[in-house]
Amino acid sequence: DLSIHVRRTGTASLVLEGDTDNSGDTGQRDAEIIFLSDGSAGNDPFGGTAYGAHGYRISTQNYPGKTSLGFDEWHSQDGWLSRLQIDEDGNVGIGTSSPSSELEVAGSSDVDTGILVTNSRNGVGMALRLDNTSNGANKGSGIKWQSGGFNIGSIITRADTTAVSGDSPGYMTFHTSNDGAEDLAERMRIDSSGNVGIGTSSPNNLLHVYQSNSALPSVNLSHVNGNKINVSASYNYYDAYNHIFRGLDGTDTHMTIE
């Protein structure tokens, strides 16, 4: 049986208008629809136990010249829990009533939280596409990681030049934060030729490792038994005439190949 049925040949509308005296624009809830179920014992949203102990609410909240829309779930023990919120600026929050960006997903328990995208494409389905519509050299998009609201890492992809159809060279950089700082520093780069640079932003070989601290080896190859090979341009190098191999002190020459 139908409790309410609105039928017409044109657009059927249901209008709920609250705050008709315009008494407040401070985020107060002005209009709402509540869906309740499960009539078992439990607290209901109205301060009693006569109605359903579980349900949902769709409501609007009033702000100066703006309105937000919220979808909340009622739990008899926990009260109203925000499930989805479109705030007064158009930001969408899932699991939070106060989204700080265009889309924010928040978890409240010790389980995986985030976005799951599935597809049945015969091949690779791109689950996430980032497009910076401001096209030009060194412009692009990235992903940033934070802990407690503080920066800890990022991956950024930029264009070498203005991208056009059939010619859009780009490069990718990897960043982490230093101990004692929050600023993100570039650690590795893959340029448009496929060269990989560690410690340098202009790799000129397939793998280019630049060491700014001569006291540490650039590359350390080690085995579980304790054996290792340290490779450093300051210890072992080519001086345009000879290949020179030095000891770990960096001064004593052990072998020279002309």
Side-chain angles (χ1 to χ4, degrees):
D1 295 335
L2 297 176
S3 300
I4 299 177
H5 182 190
V6 180
R7 182 175 183 268
R8 59 178 298 180
T9 57
T11 301
S13 302
L14 175 64
V15 178
L16 301 178
E17 183 178 3
D19 191 27
T20 57
D21 60 354
N22 198 29
S23 61
D25 293 327
T26 58
Q28 68 187 43
R29 186 165 288 100
D30 292 333
E32 62 185 14
I33 300 176
I34 296 178
F35 307 86
L36 292 176
S37 62
D38 188 357
S40 61
N43 299 321
D44 64 34
F46 309 107
T49 58
Y51 301 98
H54 301 285
Y56 265 88
R57 173 180 67 189
I58 303 174
S59 63
T60 60
Q61 292 175 279
N62 194 19
Y63 295 88
K66 301 177 181 180
T67 302
S68 69
L69 178 65
F71 297 79
D72 308 302
E73 183 180 2
W74 173 261
H75 284 190
S76 61
Q77 300 298 320
D78 302 318
W80 288 113
L81 303 176
S82 177
R83 297 309 187 193
L84 187 147
Q85 180 83 14
I86 305 174
D87 72 10
E88 67 275 15
D89 295 317
N91 295 331
V92 177
I94 299 176
T96 176
S97 59
S98 55
S100 58
S101 57
E102 292 186 358
L103 174 61
E104 179 177 346
V105 180
S108 58
S109 58
D110 190 18
V111 296
D112 290 340
T113 300
I115 301 173
L116 171 65
V117 180
T118 62
N119 70 80
S120 58
R121 183 176 180 178
N122 185 20
V124 177
M126 293 296 179
L128 178 64
R129 182 171 62 181
L130 305 179
D131 182 13
N132 185 345
T133 57
S134 179
N135 190 8
N138 299 315
K139 296 181 179 180
S141 302
I143 301 175
K144 180 183 290 186
W145 286 266
Q146 294 184 322
S147 179
F150 299 100
N151 298 330
I152 57 174
S154 68
I155 299 176
I156 303 173
T157 301
R158 299 181 177 91
D160 275 338
T161 61
T162 299
V164 296
S165 178
D167 186 17
S168 55
Y171 62 97
M172 179 179 292
T173 56
F174 299 77
H175 307 252
T176 62
S177 57
N178 286 312
D179 188 14
E182 187 188 351
D183 294 336
L184 296 177
E186 180 179 327
R187 306 302 188 187
M188 185 175 76
R189 175 178 298 223
I190 305 174
D191 68 13
S192 57
S193 299
N195 293 336
V196 177
I198 300 176
T200 176
S201 60
S202 55
N204 50 31
N205 301 97
L206 285 177
L207 176 60
H208 183 171
V209 180
Y210 176 75
Q211 178 180 335
S212 61
N213 186 347
S214 61
L216 298 174
S218 298
V219 179
N220 186 326
L221 306 177
S222 59
H223 189 269
V224 67
N225 64 11
N227 294 337
K228 62 182 179 180
I229 299 175
N230 290 332
V231 180
S232 174
S234 63
Y235 297 163
N236 313 300
Y237 62 94
Y238 178 67
D239 66 357
Y241 299 101
N242 306 300
H243 288 280
I244 300 174
F245 298 84
R246 291 178 172 174
L248 291 179
D249 59 6
T251 58
D252 295 336
T253 299
H254 289 197
M255 181 174 67
T256 299
I257 302 177
E258 297 182 350

